[in-house]
Amino acid sequence: MEPRARAGKNVGKETFPAKDISNLLYAYGDVPDPLPETVKVMDEILSEFVTGISFEACAHANTAKRQKLKFDDFEFALRRNPEYLGKVRTMVDKRIEISKMRKAFHHDDDAVIKDTRPNAAAAAAAAAGVSEDLLDDFEDDADVMDTVRNAGKHNKKKRKNAPA
């Protein structure tokens, strides 16, 4: 059955939580507690919009002989509205940038802790603008965490070998 025909069965039923829709309306200038009729109409509009975009994206994926949707399918579905397309691209770019920053942060964190060459930690701290005292405290915290992790592993071994 076509997705739009399936969506027709839910007409009159709420798709999104009413509180979310009223918060959305308030964010765009409506009163804090909108009328229930306004919330219902907005729910139908949003449901129809999401269903329509999803249907177009699915049709594009089917034409490309794919069963799974990709971001390109949604780009194709939003190609007629450059404002929506720009907002979606911006959100995806931000998400990619945040994930890269998280990976870089964790990677640099481990490098400072595990690098045991003489003056390597001090050089890394100086490059980052961190005092050596703070770095020493950080290394002490890392040693404590390693001890805690290792203590948990020993307890698990003891539990496995313990008689039932």
Side-chain angles (χ1 to χ4, degrees), residues 23-30 87:
N23 288 340
L24 179 71
L25 289 168
Y26 182 63
Y28 282 97
D30 200 3
K87 287 179 183 180

Side-chain angles (χ1 to χ4, degrees), residues 67 69 72 88 106 117 149:
Q67 290 183 349
L69 293 174
D72 297 337
V88 169
H106 292 299
R117 292 177 293 166
R149 283 190 204 116

